[in-house]
Each structure stands twice: as C-alpha cells, then as structure tokens.
Amino acid sequence: MKRAKVGLVILTLWGTLNILVAAAVTIMTLAKESPPALRLVMSGDAARRIDPLALAVINAQAAFANPCIIGFCVLVLTVLWSNRHAPKAASHVSHYVLIPTLLFVQIFAFISDGYLGHKNLPANLLSTFLLTVGLTLFLTSSTSERAI
C-alpha cells in the first residue's frame, strides 16, 4: 500500500475518532446529561451538587466546543483529501497552514487535560501518535504517490 494512502487512512481514523467523541459529548450535552468531563473528576453525586450557574457554564462550553471540534476535523480531512491530487507546490500552501494549526490544537488538548488531572492522557497520546504518523506518512510521500 502506498505510504500516502496509509497516512490518509490513519488521519481519517484520527478525524473520525475525534468526530465520534465530540458528537457523543454534544448529544449528551443537548440531552441535559451530566457533562462527561465532570464524570472524569467527580462522582455522580458530587456532579449533581454543582451550582446550576457553574453547570450552565460547563454545558455552554461543551455545546460550543464540541461542534467546533467536529467542524475542525471535517475541515482538516477535506483539506487533506482534496489536496491529494494537487501539485506539490500548490498543496504546500495548505500544509503550511494545516501543520501549525494541528500542532496548536494538539498542544492545547494536553493543556486542557491538565485541568482534569490528565485523566485523558492515554487518549491524547493516541491522538498525537495517529496525527504524527499520519501526517508524516502523507506529507513525506511524493506527489504521484498521493494521487490515490
């Protein structure tokens, strides 16, 4: 299998997993269930005792951030899949924007997780691994290899 194709498959797996988690959290938030982030750091009883205004802020953040995560992943995958046939010079422009943006977001996934005592560390490490391997395979392949 071509290196570029393996990279795209890995990146698609990365994006799909992020989309599924963000969609699940969005659905739970809209269904007025206990926020999943709270479940990581406190018991159900403790979560139910949270001040309603504080809970409203947590839910507002979840209701906004998770659809943004979905949109971001769809955008990343669209850029990668649509540029697989582009000449190397043309695709470099999107890659110069894409790589620092992905790096920035991935760094803040770890920072965000720090507020939760790094309860999501295995998930963040897996996400970083998939992203790094997928991008490396895809971006170091030749343009002809990318024409999947």
Side-chain angles (χ1 to χ4, degrees):
M1 192 182 291
K2 294 179 181 180
R3 191 171 50 179
K5 187 173 185 177
V6 172
L8 269 178
V9 168
I10 291 170
L11 290 167
T12 301
L13 174 64
W14 168 85
T16 302
L17 290 172
N18 278 291
I19 289 167
L20 290 173
V21 169
V25 173
T26 300
I27 290 167
M28 293 168 82
T29 302
L30 296 176
K32 307 223 185 284
E33 292 184 25
S34 177
L38 289 181
R39 294 180 193 167
L40 290 172
V41 294
M42 61 180 55
S43 69
D45 289 337
R48 284 187 285 282
R49 290 192 307 267
I50 290 181
D51 182 286
L53 291 175
L55 188 58
V57 170
I58 294 166
N59 284 331
Q61 291 293 314
F64 180 72
N66 286 288
C68 285
I69 291 168
I70 294 169
F72 178 73
C73 290
V74 168
L75 184 62
V76 167
L77 293 175
T78 301
V79 167
L80 289 169
W81 278 95
S82 64
N83 278 329
R84 71 187 193 282
H85 297 295
K88 196 162 183 100
S91 64
H92 268 343
V93 174
S94 61
H95 298 156
Y96 286 134
V97 173
L98 192 62
I99 293 169
T101 303
L102 287 166
L103 179 63
F104 179 76
V105 170
Q106 198 64 37
I107 288 168
F108 274 89
F110 285 98
I111 291 170
S112 167
D113 191 35
Y115 289 104
L116 303 174
H118 294 288
K119 302 277 185 177
N120 280 330
L121 186 60
N124 278 327
L125 290 172
L126 175 63
S127 178
T128 302
F129 175 76
L130 291 173
L131 194 57
T132 302
V133 170
L135 282 172
T136 300
L137 289 172
F138 182 72
L139 296 176
T140 60
S141 63
S142 67
T143 307
S144 61
E145 232 184 289
R146 291 185 200 162
I148 299 167

